Amino acid sequence: MTRASAGPAEDHRAEQHRASADAADPAVSADVLARAAAGDDQAWRRVLEADWRRVFAMAFSRLRDPDIAEELTQAVFVKVAEQWASGDYTEQGRFESWLFRITMNQIRDEARKRRRRAGRLAPAGSLDTTPSQDEPAPEKTEQYETDRMRAAIEQLSESDRDIITLRHQGGMGFKAMAALLNEPVGTLLARHHRALKKLRTLMETASDANA
Amino acid sequence: MPEHPNDQHSKASRPGEERMEQLLGRVAAEDRAAAPVGLEDRLFAATRAKPALKLVGSTAASGPARRRLPLGRPLVGFAAAAAVLLVAGVGVWNAGWLTASQPAAAPNELLSAEMNAAESELDAAETALEIWIASLDALEGDVSGEIDLLLAEVASLDEAWDAGLGASADVATDWLDLGGAL
């Protein structure tokens, strides 16, 4: 039996992570959301402040192009604004899940377009970051470790990458992720744990190969 | 017996996985820091004020299609450029016609529609390019084959000509010999 709730300790950790994930407080109150939806510029500015960096980081982490990540971030917020303007959206405490669902869909669409183009015009590039024989092995600096982590993330399955992106780039709590992905919190905790293990294995394998 | 998810999660504090969390935190911080200056203001303008929208990125960037053009072959390059101009021209004409013929729509909708149209045109241009280049490659192969055949025929004609000349010389010599005898 999986547990239905992550519990207070997990929620506390998630909140800590979220707070550290963005300088702005991501928790925008229902009142602010309702005013933003009604067209209040100040409230809309607060919504943007709270969320735009997270949306951008998710897009950038998957697409690795700041211009396209900016374009995608703009498309996401335009969509939110349009939905609010049309009166189709009713705030029910799930704004974050809704926002990131739009974000993930946009990222998937863009990634699909890129794959289609890459397959049509050029062979896909290798994500291998192993240095060539002529290059000296890089030192194990923090930047080096971060780059290896990026390479390891690229090798995860699509669903594992979704979890990692939502959790770390998006700074989402597991409860909000559960609402977004329509899965129990316990399942997501286990999947996140497995994704971390895979990343660790991938990084250790890469280190062994370079040794 | 498989591990219970709760058991798995309780081990997440192991040093190796904490290290993974730290690294992921650093990656995420780098990703957030990569945001261009002034993006928040542009987002606000694009979604709230009379939008001073900024088209960025993908359509202007140099892509694999451009890098892979066989520029070393003038004929193919010229033909490819002609194809791009033709397709892009049709696209621009259509986009202009669509924009002009639509009733006043929200600027964001127009932007979105134009971006979609531009994307479709780009895809169509790429497909046209690929077909064009493939057909030119095939044509080039056919022409090369024909030239090889012609050269082979010329070579055999040369041989035949040489042989003919030799035979003619022999006949002439015979006639001269015959004349001398008479």
Side-chain angles (χ1 to χ4, degrees), chain A residues 80-113:
Chain A
V80 169
E82 281 175 354
Q83 291 274 314
W84 276 351
S86 69
D88 289 346
Y89 177 81
T90 311
E91 169 56 18
Q92 294 176 323
R94 294 192 169 183
F95 172 72
E96 189 184 38
S97 302
W98 179 58
L99 174 71
F100 286 135
R101 184 176 297 122
I102 296 172
T103 306
M104 294 305 283
N105 286 341
Q106 294 269 354
I107 290 172
R108 283 197 196 101
D109 286 350
E110 182 61 36
R112 205 175 295 128
K113 276 183 206 163

Side-chain angles (χ1 to χ4, degrees), chain A residues 1-3 10 13 17 20-22 35-42 44-45 48-49 52-54 56-58 60-62 64-71 73-75 77-78 81-82 84 110 113 116-118 120-123 141-143 145-147 149-150 153 164 167-171 174 186 189-194 196-197 199-200 203, chain B residues 3-49 52-61 63-68 106-112 115-116 118-120 122-127 129-130:
Chain A
M1 194 177 100
T2 57
R3 62 180 176 177
E10 174 51 42
R13 277 185 56 191
H17 185 274
S20 65
D22 203 318
R35 282 192 288 121
D40 180 328
D41 278 356
Q42 241 183 339
W44 175 243
R45 177 70 89 167
L48 275 179
E49 275 171 11
W52 75 267
R53 276 186 192 280
R54 299 196 291 158
F56 177 87
M58 287 170 68
F60 184 68
S61 78
R62 298 291 284 266
R64 310 304 307 157
D65 181 324
D67 285 342
I68 292 179
E70 173 170 348
E71 208 173 300
T73 305
Q74 185 168 303
F77 284 105
V78 164
E82 281 175 354
W84 276 351
E110 182 61 36
K113 276 183 206 163
R116 207 176 62 222
R117 257 187 225 160
R120 221 162 53 190
L121 295 166
T141 58
E142 288 206 335
Q143 187 57 53
E145 289 291 306
T146 311
D147 291 344
M149 172 56 86
R150 282 192 194 285
I153 293 170
I164 293 293
R167 172 76 177 146
H168 296 275
Q169 272 74 17
F174 282 102
L189 283 167
R191 283 177 60 192
H192 181 253
H193 172 82
R194 279 197 294 270
L196 286 185
K197 270 177 78 174
L199 286 173
R200 194 170 146 197
M203 288 188 71
Chain B
E3 273 186 315
H4 191 280
N6 287 358
D7 296 334
Q8 290 179 340
H9 183 64
S10 68
K11 292 175 189 170
S13 59
R14 284 186 305 193
E17 278 158 36
E18 276 191 356
R19 177 79 184 134
M20 293 299 105
E21 295 253 19
Q22 279 176 3
L23 281 173
L24 284 167
R26 280 219 306 267
V27 168
E30 279 185 10
D31 291 343
R32 284 189 292 275
V37 176
L39 177 54
E40 187 180 327
D41 290 335
R42 288 198 291 280
L43 290 173
F44 187 78
T47 49
R48 268 295 185 267
L53 295 177
K54 178 186 169 229
L55 272 175
V56 286
S58 59
T59 52
R66 289 150 192 83
R67 284 198 298 277
R68 280 172 60 88
N108 290 335
E109 287 171 12
L110 276 180
L111 174 72
S112 181
M115 284 172 69
N116 287 340
E119 180 68 39
S120 305
L122 190 63
D123 284 350
E126 281 171 2
T127 308
L129 256 177
E130 286 162 26

Side-chain angles (χ1 to χ4, degrees), chain B residues 12 21 27 37 49 57-58 76 85 99 102 117 119 131 140 156 162 167 170 180:
Chain B
E21 295 253 19
V27 168
V37 176
S58 59
V76 176
L85 282 174
T99 309
Q102 279 176 347
E119 180 68 39
I131 294 168
E140 190 186 33
S156 64
D162 288 344
D170 289 345

